[in-house]
């Protein structure tokens, strides 16, 4: 049977000899706009929750509605819109998972100066371009020759959306409904403060049986939407880590460790100036030797490091599982390079890639740029050249790995964090072997890790885009050019969004906090982890006792048959983040259970009404969060926005408890709306 399949050539939706509008100004501009929007939303969501959601399918849905209806775009133009726009989301994820680490490296490394607009822009753009460059010689072997073996699930789903949109359909309406619902909810929550931000139940430190236990949740649309999309299993494992941390480890440590010892640990980690100075987000009082919030103090002092160790181990275990894939992918990539020069005669439109010379000269240009740009850390051309060479070597290797993995299991399961951890460890070991130890070299190691993270994340998304193009009959050359455009345009807005979100509010400034990123508002879990690893490895000063607890926590989960990375991220993040995500996952579980009990066809993972509505919730909630952060970043607008705050009046009328219950009821109402929409029939294309 396999021979029969091989002999029958694949026929794309648009034939290779068809002349259809594709790489046009309107398609690239629309794609760039969507890339900016979803890039900004991804920055916000990744900083808040340490999670991202693939933007390819939402952008494909928007393309068939806005592009086809208002700009009369063809299916190939819609594919360019989706391709250009998806680059923003993937690059934003890679940036946010690594570059905030500049804020958490040693003070003597001067790394904080690199967390500014231009260094972020150049690293984001160069990392995104690297991911696309390295995919050029791999497209034929991974997308074309492995078409029947590597499904590339998101890419195939995007192709289905574009083809269904060409035939006519009702996909976009539900997503727009979710977007509008999330906007209205977020305005009530963030501007008018009718809905509580994070209803909380907590015990006091003096509680005899259960001190400093906390149950709370940031009841936002984006968290519920993310939970629904990732499903009950992953959401359940995610919240399990939070339950262990906030209802297990923190009450235990709070009852065993004296407050002065916790404060001393916070001083060591940089959260407190010294034990005689009041401050930190936990509210340390040196006079009474107590914390206003002991749970937060214990979390910052110990549990965060335990979680970081678990995330590092979970990512590394995930990477180890893919070693057979790594080896086969590397062999395939070398084979594809050897073939690339032989098959240039009479190239069909659907086989027309950018030449391999683009890869060679593009890679050389990247190394040269990294060597001469003052925004790249390093005190000599030699330093920077080594960084550039390491980026190219690790980049080629892990781009290959990333593309192969997402072909099998999808972008959302791509172990980019594990690849980044492996890169950082390899880089730090190389640095140590040539005598580059200490604080000065920390930012240089982070540059290598961050560019590989960005490149691997973008390569995964690029692979899905190329799969979509292969199915619908796109021209690979035009897709690759569109990805370069998307990388550069999204880098422009990603740096700006990070700069705005990082601005501290008045309360933070009063506590001596200069950066909002790294606080409870924007925890940036992966960035903190990368900085912790680099500092510990290059300075031989890692808090191994806490990190190893996390490592063995991850190993324990693996031995129990649970994928440890999701559990580890849950243990690292505040429960207020994972609990509302779990609520969304539970709704998805109820929808699936109802379908099974009534013997109905279960909702399509990507194209069902519930998933489209949830996508709208994520996009709307995250975008409103970004807009609100932009407004509040400038004091001139804080007054008008602050005057709309109704929280004080509602608390006066309902009491603090009543106000929080009101917020909880709004969240329940949103969940019921999501459930009702999910249990209706899925939208279908017109026949």
């Amino acid at each position: 049977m396999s021979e029969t399949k091989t002999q029958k050539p694949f026929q794309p939706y648009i034939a290779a000899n068809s002349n259809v509008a594709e790489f046009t100004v309107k398609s690239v501009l629309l794609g760039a706009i969507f890339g900016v929007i979803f890039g900004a939303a991804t920055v916000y969501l990744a900083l808040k929750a340490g999670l991202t959601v693939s933007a390819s399918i939402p952008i494909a849905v928007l393309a068939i509605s806005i592009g086809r209806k208002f700009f009369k775009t063809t299916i190939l133009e819609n594919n360019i819109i989706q391709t250009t726009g998806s680059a923003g989301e993937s690059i934003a994820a890679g940036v946010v998972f690594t570059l905030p680490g500049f804020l958490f490296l040693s003070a003597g490394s001067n790394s904080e100066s690199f967390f500014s607009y231009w260094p972020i822009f150049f690293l984001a753009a160069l990392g995104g371009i690297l991911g696309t460059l390295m995919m050029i010689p791999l497209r034929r072997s991974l997308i074309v020759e492995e078409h029947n073996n590597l499904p590339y699930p998101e890419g195939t789903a995007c192709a289905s959306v574009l083809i269904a949109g060409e035939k006519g359909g009702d996909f976009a309406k539900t997503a727009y409904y979710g977007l509008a619902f999330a906007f209205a909810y977020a305005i009530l929550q963030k501007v008018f403060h009718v809905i509580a931000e994070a209803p909380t139940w907590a015990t006091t430190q003096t509680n005899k049986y259960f001190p400093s236990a906390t149950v709370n949740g940031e009841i936002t649309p984006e968290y519920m939407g993310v939970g629904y999309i990732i499903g009950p299993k992953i959401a359940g494992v995610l919240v399990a880590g939070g339950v262990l941390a906030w209802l297990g480890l923190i009450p235990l440590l709070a009852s065993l460790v004296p407050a002065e010892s916790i404060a001393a640990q916070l001083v060591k980690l940089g959260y407190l100036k010294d034990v005689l100075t009041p401050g930190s987000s936990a509210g340390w009082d040196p006079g009474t030797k107590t914390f206003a919030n002991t749970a937060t103090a214990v979390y910052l002092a110990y549990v965060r490091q335990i979680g970081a160790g678990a995330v590092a181990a979970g990512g590394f275990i995930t990477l180890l599982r893919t070693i057979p894939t790594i080896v086969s992918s590397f062999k395939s990539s070398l084979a594809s390079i050897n073939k690339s020069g032989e098959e240039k005669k009479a190239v069909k439109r659907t086989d027309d890639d950018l030449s391999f010379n683009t890869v060679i000269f593009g890679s050389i240009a990247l190394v040269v740029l990294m060597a001469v740009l003052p925004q790249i850390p390093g005190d000599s051309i030699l330093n920077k050249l080594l960084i550039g060479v390491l980026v190219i070597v690790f980049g080629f290797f892990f781009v290959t790995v990333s593309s192969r993995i997402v072909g099998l299991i999808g972008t959302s399961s791509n172990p980019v964090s594990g690849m980044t951890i492996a890169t950082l460890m390899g880089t730090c070991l190389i640095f140590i072997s040539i005598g580059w130890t200490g604080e000065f070299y920390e930012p240089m190691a982070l540059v290598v890790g961050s560019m590989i993270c960005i490149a691997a994340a973008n390569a995964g998304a690029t692979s899905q885009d190329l799969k979509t193009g292969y199915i619908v009959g796109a021209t690979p050359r035009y897709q690759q050019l569109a990805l370069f455009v998307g990388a550069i345009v999204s880098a422009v807005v990603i740096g700006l969004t990070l700069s705005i979100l990082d601005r501290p509010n008045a309360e933070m400034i009063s506590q001596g906090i200069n950066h909002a990123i790294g606080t409870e508002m924007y925890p940036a879990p992966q960035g903190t982890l990368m900085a912790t690893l680099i500092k510990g490895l290059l300075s031989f000063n890692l808090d191994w006792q806490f990190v190893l607890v996390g490592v063995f926590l991850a190993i324990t989960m693996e031995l129990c048959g649970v994928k440890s990375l999701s559990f580890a991220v849950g243990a690292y993040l505040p429960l207020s983040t994972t609990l509302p995500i779990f609520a969304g996952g539970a709704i998805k579980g109820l929808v699936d259970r109802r379908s099974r009990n009534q013997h109905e066809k279960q909702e399509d993972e990507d194209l069902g009404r519930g998933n489209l509505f949830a996508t709208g919730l994520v996009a709307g909630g995250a975008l409103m969060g970004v807009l609100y952060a932009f407004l509040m970043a400038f004091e001139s607008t804080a007054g008008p926005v602050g005057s709309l705050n109704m929280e004080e009046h509602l608390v006066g009328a309902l009491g603090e408890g009543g106000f929080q219950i009101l917020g909880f009821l709004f969240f329940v109402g949103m969940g019921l709306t999501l459930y009702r929409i999910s249990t209706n029939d899925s939208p279908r294309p017109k026949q």
Side-chain angles (χ1 to χ4, degrees), residues 582-603:
F582 174 69
I587 293 170
K588 173 65 172 171
L590 290 173
V591 171
D592 290 345
R593 184 178 179 182
R594 177 184 181 275
S595 298
R596 286 193 300 269
N597 290 343
Q598 297 187 8
H599 305 290
E600 298 174 353
K601 183 180 177 182
Q602 286 195 22
E603 180 188 61

Side-chain angles (χ1 to χ4, degrees), residues 101-458:
F102 280 128
L103 297 175
F104 314 127
L105 294 174
S106 303
S109 67
N110 194 34
S111 60
E112 204 172 302
S113 64
F114 295 107
F115 194 73
S116 55
Y117 180 80
W118 286 111
I120 293 171
F121 167 76
F122 282 118
L123 289 172
L126 294 178
I129 290 170
L130 176 67
T132 302
L133 270 180
M134 296 300 178
M135 272 305 302
I136 292 171
L138 298 176
R139 189 195 72 87
R140 186 177 299 278
S141 64
L142 293 180
I143 308 297
V144 179
E145 295 176 6
E146 296 279 347
H147 176 63
N148 294 321
N149 301 320
L150 295 177
Y152 288 98
E154 289 96 343
T156 302
C158 274
S160 300
V161 171
L162 293 174
I163 292 169
E166 188 74 2
K167 295 178 178 178
D170 197 24
F171 289 98
K173 189 180 293 183
T174 307
Y176 285 130
Y177 182 25
L179 189 75
F181 189 102
F183 249 87
Y185 185 103
I187 288 171
L188 286 174
Q189 185 176 53
K190 298 181 183 299
V191 178
F192 293 100
H193 291 263
V194 172
I195 304 171
E197 293 276 351
T200 302
W201 172 85
T203 61
T204 63
Q205 174 60 15
T206 55
N207 187 290
K208 184 178 179 181
Y209 303 104
F210 205 31
S212 297
T214 306
V215 177
N216 59 357
E218 290 187 50
I219 49 174
T220 62
E222 60 268 27
Y223 285 168
M224 179 171 283
V226 166
Y228 189 93
I229 291 169
I230 66 177
K233 188 173 182 180
I234 297 176
V237 173
L238 199 66
V239 79
V243 169
L244 175 66
W246 290 84
L247 297 176
L249 293 176
I250 289 175
L252 176 65
L253 292 170
S255 63
L256 294 176
V257 183
E260 299 96 309
S261 300
I262 299 172
Q265 177 67 11
L266 290 176
V267 172
K268 179 182 177 182
L269 296 173
Y271 293 110
L272 263 178
K273 184 179 179 182
D274 55 61
V275 293
L276 300 177
T277 305
S280 94
S281 55
W284 168 246
D285 186 338
T288 60
K289 295 184 178 179
T290 58
F291 289 97
N293 190 332
T294 305
T296 299
V298 173
Y299 168 69
L300 294 174
Y302 306 111
V303 174
R304 239 185 168 187
Q305 294 197 77
I306 293 171
V311 172
F316 204 68
I317 289 168
T318 307
L319 186 63
L320 287 176
R321 280 205 195 96
T322 64
I323 283 179
T325 304
I326 291 172
V327 174
S328 64
S329 299
F330 195 66
K331 288 179 179 177
S332 297
S333 65
L334 291 176
S336 73
I337 291 172
N338 292 331
K339 286 182 181 179
S340 61
E342 304 169 3
E343 301 178 354
K344 292 184 178 179
K345 296 177 183 177
V347 175
K348 293 190 295 185
R349 180 184 63 80
T350 51
D351 289 332
D352 185 16
D353 291 279
L354 290 173
S355 72
F356 189 62
N357 288 335
T358 307
V359 181
I360 295 173
F361 291 115
S363 299
I364 293 171
L366 282 178
V367 174
V368 172
L369 277 172
M370 292 187 69
V372 300
L373 283 171
Q375 289 81 8
I376 305 298
D379 62 349
S380 70
I381 296 291
L382 181 63
N383 287 151
K384 296 184 178 184
L385 279 175
L386 178 60
I387 293 176
V389 170
L390 288 175
V391 163
I392 297 299
V393 173
F394 282 122
F396 178 72
F397 189 72
F398 283 121
V399 161
T400 303
V401 172
S402 177
S403 178
R404 185 90 184 189
I405 289 173
V406 301
L408 293 168
I409 58 178
T411 306
S412 58
S413 302
N414 192 7
V416 172
S417 58
M419 299 179 205
T420 309
I421 290 165
T423 300
L424 286 176
M425 288 181 169
T427 302
C428 289
L429 288 173
I430 291 169
F431 281 12
I432 290 169
S433 69
I434 59 177
W436 290 6
T437 59
E439 297 178 351
F440 176 79
Y441 298 100
E442 291 175 3
M444 295 168 62
L446 183 60
V447 165
V448 178
S450 64
M451 286 195 65
I452 298 312
C453 186
I454 296 163
N458 192 41

Side-chain angles (χ1 to χ4, degrees), residues 10 12-15 75-76 79 158-160 162-163 349 467-474:
F10 172 77
Y13 184 76
I14 300 295
I75 185 172
L76 296 188
N79 180 57
C158 274
S160 300
L162 293 174
I163 292 169
R349 180 184 63 80
K467 181 72 165 187
T468 303
Y470 181 65
I471 294 171
V472 301

